[in-house]
């Protein structure tokens, strides 16, 4: 392949370095971070975990093929559902070894796609065989049964065939084998692009006699160099294992172990094509992150597809058979309608700082293969037509959405001019309407002409093929089917998804909702399904979506798609899982694909309810844990047995007035419970621990605030002694709209009952956030944390409770709300703050998340906790308050006697 320089006339990236093997530029391997605005075609990053693993192997003294390679083989075989895996030096070596292991007659013919990497044909030649080139379908880039049959006739009777899953797209392996009149035992799959591909629902790796994978630096699982052969045939696996080390007898590497024998034999020709333990260590570490990287590749590909759909003359390759695409490459065809040929487009993009590539130069265009390979009579017209059109665009997991948008914008600019209609700038969240029927169309019209709803519709999802053929409904495009929810949300930067299908099954709705949330969007369905069956959709049904009017600012898109990398494939534990915040967090975590999600709570009823919501049944008992976080032996047992890698600690006592009356209980749960969890996390190798705190922890004057500040200090101090790779952090919530017992739920109850709305004081203010913002803040904090931070969402200014109450009443058509002022209760502030007087805030990599940093080092609470714990265990309320006052200047050692029970009869609309 050819990797093009970014800017014509400048020195190519990597000049002065030796050329990389396999015909690829070393810029792919060692490329520096791009200059501002540049979008390289490919960049490789070997993560810190992989580097640490490589260092571990180097320190072990065993760096060639050894135990680490053997472990990688077992893990990789399990991942692709194969019985055996043999690690080798490259995919080309794997292809050659696989063909050798078939023991075909010398000079036997092997069918090879005409559009493939030259190494695939070289592998056949090196194995003593002769390639027969197979033409491809220009629409898919891959052979068809018809072209395979024609190539088979050209050579009489082929002995074997290699099938390439081009760019990561699934190839119809069985159909092609049948067309070649070959059994699958004589088919070798070239899966250099296809780790993560499935043909139908079967993973590539166990479909044919042998499958060959590449771990080159730009592949889906980058190691640097390396390959893997997988097979279900133990005899073939053993042949390859011997042949990769000069044909030496099995277990030759073990002769250097204590008790090993120097005796070995060589029964047939082999080559030097083994993988080292250093490469294997990197591969094992990278494999743990593979699923998250694949989700990112799919999101980027969907973004390309959505943006380029409207550019005439650019056509993505079509799938050759059903299955999952691994998205190693994003290849488009530059058709005549585009108005600029492929080579000129490559140069113009390079001048803009955008790198591209071509995969591949057809084999029959190269002199060596013109002589060495067999070309069917009539030539290879499909490959000849396709090659001038092929263009591969940048695609790698750490490519940013902004970079993809820039590539698409340049492709649109350089393409044919199209008239565009002028549209008003959007005024609200970018909204996707699920359902393009009458309800969805009416809803989209209402949203578009009523900007105060705070939603700006950008398109529909619908499963009706007829609507896709129409393409444009009421001025909005049909962007995909319901199965495309996640990809569409990512590609179009969707911030809100509104379901407008009255008859949508509950299970299907849950799937759409969880998929949208995993991609970073929030989900609404208004009006309710039952109501939608009885009346037309009208704009007033959407008024509860107008969060801007209630909290004085737009909702913030907090969670990014990158947050999933912290969750995917890991063992995650959530305390307080049955609560409103904990359960919302579990829904979002579940959507990111953890390997296990453990739900911990002391309330079994809430856990049972959450199980039903997450799984549709309550049979996942092994993931549900009933426990009180105050029970240290039980917590130690849970962490020892479950060994969670990520912990979200949401369990707490948080009812402010009740904790003023029962401060010892707040200490037992919020302080000692947190300490129990932190100790267990450190002891059992938890890598990330996120504490959910409250803005009341800033300069606390309540038991809730003081105990939560202590829990923050425990987390921060744990970071100082934490082992490498362990990260502790905390997040402070404002008041959460939509959580159980929150202001909106209390308002709804009071207005519905016709009773006066209770507010503590005419001038009381609070910071507010939505449930989605709260859960997003937690997930983003887990992603960004380096250790010891306290993260806070930038919620702009505080909101007067009276103003929020009146705005909410207007939204539900109660214009004259009756408000009764009850007076501030003990521990309540007139105005909350996000940061204490001893803290300053700094910006983070997220534009709307701040980090609180103490002006002076935080007080280590460890020496003061025994006194506090002793008072709590004795249930000595006065002693608990005095201990808290000693810890926090400004905390009242004793509340005014005449206020101790003030307002407790009133609802408590102050939840976090």
């Amino acid at each position: 392949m050819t990797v093009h320089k970014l800017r014509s006339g400048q020195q190519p990236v990597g000049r002065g370095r030796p050329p990389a093997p396999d015909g690829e530029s070393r810029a792919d391997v060692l490329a520096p971070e791009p200059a501002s605005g540049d979008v390289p075609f490919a960049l490789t990053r070997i993560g810190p975990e992989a580097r640490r693993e490589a260092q571990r192997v180097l320190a072990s003294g065993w760096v060639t093929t050894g135990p680490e390679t053997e472990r990688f083989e077992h893990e990789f075989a399990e991942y692709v559902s194969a019985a055996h895996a043999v690690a080798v030096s490259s995919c080309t070596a794997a292809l050659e070894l696989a063909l050798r292991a078939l023991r075909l007659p010398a000079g036997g013919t092997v069918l090879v796609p005409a559009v493939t990497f030259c190494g695939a044909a070289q592998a056949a030649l090196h194995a003593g065989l002769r390639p027969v080139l197979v033409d491809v379908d220009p629409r898919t880039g891959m052979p068809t049964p018809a072209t395979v049959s024609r190539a088979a006739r050209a050579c009489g009777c082929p002995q074997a065939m290699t099938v390439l899953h081009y760019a990561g797209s699934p190839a119809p392996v069985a159909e092609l084998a049948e067309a070649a009149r070959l059994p699958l035992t004589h088919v070798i799959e070239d899966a250099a692009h296809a780790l993560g591909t499935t043909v139908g629902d079967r993973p590539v790796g166990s479909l044919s006699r042998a499958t060959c994978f590449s771990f080159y630096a730009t592949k889906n699982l980058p190691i640097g160099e390396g390959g893997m052969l997988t097979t279900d045939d133990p005899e073939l696996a053993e042949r390859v294992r011997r042949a990769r080390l000069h044909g030496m007898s099995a277990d030759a590497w073990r002769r250097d172990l204590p008790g090993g024998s120097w005796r070995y034999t060589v029964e047939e020709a082999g080559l030097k094509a083994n993988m080292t333990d250093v490469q294997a260590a990197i591969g094992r570490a990278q494999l743990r992150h593979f699923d998250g990287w694949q989700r990112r590749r799919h999101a980027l590909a969907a973004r390309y597809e959505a943006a380029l759909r409207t550019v005439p003359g650019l056509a993505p390759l079509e799938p050759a058979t059903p299955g999952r695409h691994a998205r190693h490459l994003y290849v488009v065809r530059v058709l005549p309608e585009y108005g600029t040929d492929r080579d000129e487009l490559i140069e113009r993009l390079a001048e803009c700082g955008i790198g591209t590539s071509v995969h591949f130069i057809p084999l029959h265009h190269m002199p060596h293969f013109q002589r060495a390979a067999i070309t069917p009579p009539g030539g290879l017209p499909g490959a000849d037509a396709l090659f001038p059109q092929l263009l591969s665009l940048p695609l790698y997991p750490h490519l940013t959405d902004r970079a993809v948008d820039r590539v698409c914008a340049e492709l649109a600019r350089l393409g044919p001019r199209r008239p565009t209609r002028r549209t008003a700038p959007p005024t609200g969240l970018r909204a996707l309407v699920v359902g393009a029927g009458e309800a969805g169309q009416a809803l989209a019209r209402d949203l578009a002409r009523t900007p105060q709803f705070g939603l700006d519709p950008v398109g529909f999802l619908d499963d009706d093929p007829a609507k896709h053929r129409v393409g444009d409904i009421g001025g909005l495009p049909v962007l995909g089917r319901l199965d495309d929810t996640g990809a569409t949300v990512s590609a179009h930067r969707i911030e809100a998804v509104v379901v407008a299908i009255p008859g949508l099954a509950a299970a299907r709705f849950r799937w759409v909702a969880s998929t949208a949330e995993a991609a970073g969007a929030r989900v609404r369905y208004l009006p309710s399904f039952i109501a939608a069956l009885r009346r037309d959709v009208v704009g007033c049904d959407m008024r509860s979506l107008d969060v801007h009017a209630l909290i004085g600012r737009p909702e913030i898109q907090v969670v990014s798609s990158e947050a999933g990398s912290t969750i995917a494939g890991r063992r995650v534990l959530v305390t307080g899982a049955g609560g409103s915040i904990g359960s919302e967090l579990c829904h979002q975590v579940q959507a990111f694909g953890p390997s296990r999600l453990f739900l911990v709570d002391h309330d079994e009823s809430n856990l049972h309810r959450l199980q039903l919501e997450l799984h549709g049944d309550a049979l996942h008992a092994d993931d549900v844990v009933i426990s009180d976080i105050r029970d240290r032996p039980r917590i130690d047992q849970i962490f020892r047995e479950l060994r969670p890698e990520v912990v979200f600690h949401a369990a707490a006592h948080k009812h402010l007035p009740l904790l003023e009356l029962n401060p010892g209980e707040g200490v037992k749960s919020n302080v000692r419970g947190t300490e129990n969890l932190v100790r267990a996390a450190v002891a059992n190798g938890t890598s990330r621990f996120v504490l959910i705190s409250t803005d009341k922890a800033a300069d606390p004057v309540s038991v809730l605030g003081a105990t939560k500040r202590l829990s923050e200090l425990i987390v921060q101090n744990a970071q100082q002694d934490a082992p490498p790779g362990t990260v502790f952090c905390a997040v402070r919530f404002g008041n959460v709209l939509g959580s159980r017992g929150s202001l909106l739920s209390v308002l709804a109850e009071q207005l519905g009952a016709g009773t006066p709305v209770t507010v503590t004081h005419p001038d009381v203010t609070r910071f507010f956030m939505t449930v989605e913002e709260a859960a997003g803040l937690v997930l983003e904090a887990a992603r960004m944390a380096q250790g010891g931070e306290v993260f806070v969402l930038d919620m702009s200014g505080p909101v007067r409770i009276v103003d929020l109450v009146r705005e909410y009443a207007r939204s539900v058509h109660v214009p004259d709300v009756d408000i009764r002022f009850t007076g501030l209760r003990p521990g309540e502030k007139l105005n909350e703050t996000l940061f204490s007087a001893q803290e300053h805030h700094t910006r983070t990599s997220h534009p709307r998340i701040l980090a609180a940093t103490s002006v002076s080092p935080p007080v280590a609470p460890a020496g003061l906790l025994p006194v506090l714990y002793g008072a709590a265990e004795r249930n000595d309320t006065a002693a608990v308050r005095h201990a808290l006052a000693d810890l926090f200047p400004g905390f009242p050692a004793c509340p005014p006697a005449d206020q101790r029970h003030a307002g407790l009869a009133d609802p408590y609309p102050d939840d976090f």
Side-chain angles (χ1 to χ4, degrees):
M1 85 178 185
T2 303
V3 177
H4 299 275
K5 62 183 181 292
L6 290 181
R7 300 184 187 275
S8 57
Q10 294 184 358
Q11 177 176 316
V13 174
R15 178 176 291 180
R17 298 170 179 157
D22 282 359
E24 303 203 18
S25 164
R26 190 165 294 275
D28 290 346
V29 187
L30 300 173
E33 289 295 328
S36 177
D38 283 353
V39 184
F41 171 69
L43 286 175
T44 297
R45 290 181 181 170
I46 304 298
E49 182 181 2
R51 297 179 192 181
R52 287 194 299 269
E53 288 300 297
Q55 288 291 337
R56 175 181 60 79
V57 169
L58 289 171
S60 74
W62 193 295
V63 295
T64 185
T65 302
E68 198 73 16
T69 303
E70 191 170 72
R71 294 186 193 104
F72 186 30
E73 290 171 337
H74 289 310
E75 291 173 7
F76 191 89
E78 183 179 5
Y79 189 86
V80 300
S81 302
H84 306 278
V86 183
V88 293
S89 57
S90 70
C91 183
T92 303
L95 289 167
E96 179 179 344
L97 290 166
L99 290 169
R100 284 173 177 259
L102 293 182
R103 296 186 173 175
L104 304 175
T109 51
V110 180
L111 302 182
V112 177
V115 179
T116 189
F117 181 56
C118 60
Q122 294 281 22
L125 292 170
H126 292 167
L129 306 171
R130 191 174 187 193
V132 180
L133 304 186
V134 184
D135 203 11
V136 301
D137 183 344
R139 296 171 303 173
T140 66
M142 287 191 278
T144 67
T147 62
V148 167
S149 180
R150 186 163 72 90
R153 290 195 300 270
C155 66
C157 182
Q159 273 74 49
M161 174 172 64
T162 62
V163 174
L164 170 68
H165 298 279
Y166 178 59
S169 183
V173 178
E175 291 86 343
L176 298 182
E178 183 177 359
R181 297 188 176 181
L182 287 169
L184 285 173
T185 55
H186 285 66
V187 173
I188 308 297
E189 290 172 79
D190 182 349
H193 302 171
L195 179 56
T197 297
T198 66
V199 177
D201 58 0
R202 292 190 61 189
V204 166
S206 61
L207 300 171
S208 59
R209 184 69 175 280
T211 308
C212 304
F213 296 90
S214 173
F215 305 134
Y216 187 73
T218 57
K219 293 300 193 291
N220 293 40
L221 187 71
I223 292 177
E225 290 288 358
M228 190 76 77
L229 180 146
T230 62
T231 180
D232 287 339
D233 183 347
E235 184 179 355
L236 184 139
E238 194 57 36
R239 288 178 198 165
V240 172
R241 196 168 279 114
R242 290 197 300 267
R244 70 178 175 181
L245 278 170
H246 305 295
M248 295 161 62
S249 56
D251 298 328
W253 66 272
R254 296 182 182 275
R255 62 197 172 93
D256 292 322
L257 294 177
S261 172
W262 56 269
R263 296 181 183 276
Y264 64 86
T265 185
V266 176
E267 297 178 355
E268 58 187 343
L271 52 146
K272 185 69 166 68
N274 59 303
M275 177 184 287
T276 70
D277 265 19
V278 177
Q279 292 169 296
I282 295 172
R284 293 182 67 207
Q286 300 282 77
L287 187 60
R288 295 168 197 146
H289 301 282
F290 181 76
D291 288 340
W293 294 340
Q294 285 302 103
R295 280 190 288 274
R296 179 59 180 162
R297 284 181 176 272
H298 279 272
L300 292 169
R303 198 177 194 90
Y304 271 128
E305 194 161 313
L308 298 180
R309 184 176 296 163
T310 58
V311 180
L314 292 182
L317 293 180
E318 300 173 9
T321 193
R324 183 176 66 240
H325 200 308
R327 297 298 183 188
H328 167 59
L329 299 170
Y330 191 83
V331 182
V332 295
R333 298 164 59 205
V334 184
L335 304 175
E337 301 95 282
Y338 187 71
T340 303
D341 69 37
R342 190 269 315 275
D343 290 349
E344 181 184 354
L345 176 59
I346 287 171
E347 290 301 317
R348 294 179 72 179
L349 288 171
E351 291 170 359
C352 300
I354 296 172
T356 55
S357 186
V358 174
H359 297 82
F360 298 97
I361 301 170
L363 297 178
H364 68 292
H365 288 201
M366 302 178 189
H368 176 60
F369 298 112
Q370 290 170 2
R371 299 187 299 269
I374 297 173
T375 299
L380 301 160
D384 290 334
L386 175 63
F387 173 60
Q389 302 171 348
L390 284 175
L391 180 64
S392 295
L393 303 177
L395 182 68
Y396 37 95
H398 43 281
L399 185 68
T400 65
D401 290 349
R402 182 176 298 178
V404 171
D405 293 345
R406 179 162 180 267
V407 173
C408 294
E410 290 296 337
L411 288 168
R413 182 181 67 83
L414 296 172
R417 299 294 180 188
R418 298 184 67 189
T420 58
R421 58 185 180 182
R422 298 176 62 87
T423 58
T427 58
L429 300 177
R430 292 174 61 81
L432 178 68
V433 179
V434 177
E438 292 183 7
Q441 293 177 45
L443 180 60
R445 285 195 303 270
D446 285 336
L447 293 176
R449 64 176 177 239
T450 316
Q452 60 264 35
F453 293 156
L455 295 178
D456 180 44
V458 299
F460 295 102
L461 291 182
D462 201 289
D463 285 339
D464 185 353
K467 292 184 172 62
H468 288 264
R469 287 193 291 271
V470 172
D472 188 286
I473 297 178
L476 293 175
V478 180
L479 299 175
R481 306 186 322 141
L482 269 65
D483 285 342
D484 304 321
T485 298
T488 305
V489 168
S490 298
H492 292 273
R493 306 185 305 283
I494 299 299
E495 298 168 287
V497 173
V498 186
V499 178
I501 303 178
L504 189 64
R508 187 64 164 158
F509 172 79
R510 284 197 298 269
W511 183 89
V512 169
S514 63
T515 303
E517 289 165 351
R522 61 217 54 171
V523 180
R524 299 286 189 270
Y525 57 106
L526 291 173
S528 68
F529 294 147
I530 296 174
L533 291 171
R534 296 198 301 260
R535 67 177 188 275
D536 294 334
V537 177
V538 292
C540 64
D541 288 313
M542 298 301 298
R543 290 197 181 275
S544 62
L545 288 178
D546 191 7
V547 177
H548 177 279
L550 294 178
I551 63 177
R553 60 173 176 82
E555 282 188 273
I556 299 169
Q557 187 71 13
V558 181
V559 67
S560 66
S561 55
E562 290 85 355
S565 62
T566 309
I567 303 299
R570 288 186 167 86
R571 301 163 71 85
V572 180
L573 183 147
V574 179
T575 73
S580 49
I581 298 301
S583 59
E584 173 67 23
L585 188 57
C586 288
H587 280 285
Q588 296 202 25
V589 167
Q590 178 79 356
F592 279 123
S595 63
R596 298 287 294 275
L597 174 57
F598 302 111
L599 317 176
V600 179
D601 204 300
H602 70 281
D603 187 326
E604 71 275 14
S605 298
N606 280 337
L607 285 177
H608 184 267
R609 171 190 52 78
L610 179 58
Q611 269 193 303
L612 291 172
E613 292 175 4
L614 291 175
H615 306 295
D617 59 52
L619 303 178
H620 299 256
D622 54 342
D623 287 350
V624 171
V625 182
I626 301 174
S627 175
D628 192 323
I629 61 173
R630 303 194 288 191
D631 184 345
R632 181 173 174 179
R634 174 64 169 150
I635 293 299
D636 289 342
Q637 177 195 25
I638 291 168
F639 274 69
R640 187 169 55 252
E641 294 179 355
L642 304 184
R643 304 193 72 83
E645 297 169 87
V646 181
V647 172
F648 296 109
H649 175 28
H653 281 321
K654 55 190 179 181
H655 192 291
L656 188 149
L658 285 179
L659 288 185
E660 291 300 303
L661 292 175
N662 302 276
E665 299 306 303
V667 170
K668 293 173 188 175
S669 289
N670 298 354
V671 185
R672 194 156 208 169
T674 298
E675 187 179 36
N676 290 341
L677 291 163
V678 166
R679 288 175 182 272
V682 171
N684 292 281
T686 296
S687 60
R688 290 191 177 264
F689 185 107
V690 183
L691 163 74
I692 294 175
S693 186
T694 170
D695 55 5
K696 295 166 183 61
D699 293 329
V701 296
S702 65
V703 172
L704 170 60
T707 55
K708 275 298 185 178
R709 179 56 185 152
L710 275 174
S711 66
E712 290 180 357
L713 291 172
I714 288 170
V715 166
Q716 289 179 310
N717 280 280
Q719 186 64 55
Q720 298 175 13
D721 302 320
T726 301
V727 172
F728 289 90
C729 71
V731 295
R732 283 181 189 165
F733 282 5
N735 291 57
V736 181
L737 293 175
S739 63
R740 188 175 59 205
S742 69
L743 176 60
L744 287 189
S745 62
V746 172
L747 285 179
E749 292 173 6
Q750 292 179 329
L751 291 174
T755 61
V757 173
T758 55
V759 177
T760 57
H761 190 282
D763 297 321
V764 68
T765 65
R766 293 290 182 264
F767 289 94
F768 286 98
M769 59 201 307
T770 66
V771 172
E772 292 80 10
E773 287 175 332
L777 173 60
V778 174
L779 293 174
E780 278 298 289
R783 178 184 71 86
M784 295 189 305
Q786 300 297 310
E789 302 95 335
V790 177
F791 292 104
V792 181
L793 186 70
D794 182 359
M795 292 173 280
S796 301
V799 177
R800 272 208 332 158
I801 300 293
V802 168
D803 295 338
L804 188 147
V805 168
R806 287 172 176 155
E807 183 61 41
Y808 181 82
R810 278 195 297 270
S811 74
V812 294
H813 313 296
V814 181
D816 298 318
V817 59
D818 183 11
I819 299 176
R820 179 168 64 90
F821 296 106
T822 61
L824 289 174
R825 291 166 288 198
E828 288 188 326
K829 297 179 182 178
L830 188 63
N831 307 113
E832 297 286 2
T833 60
L834 298 177
F835 306 98
S836 79
Q838 303 303 313
E839 293 174 330
H840 63 267
H841 63 270
T842 56
R843 291 286 172 185
T844 67
S845 59
H846 193 292
R848 297 305 298 273
I849 296 179
L850 308 172
T853 307
S854 296
V855 174
S856 56
V859 177
L864 304 173
L865 290 180
V867 174
L868 180 65
Y869 290 163
E873 289 300 324
R874 297 191 308 272
N875 299 306
D876 188 338
T877 297
V880 169
R881 296 195 66 92
H882 278 93
L884 292 175
D886 291 340
L887 285 163
F888 301 111
F891 180 88
C894 183
D898 58 345
Q899 292 188 17
R900 292 190 181 186
H901 299 275
L904 283 181
D906 298 316
Y908 174 61
D910 202 2
D911 196 12
F912 71 85

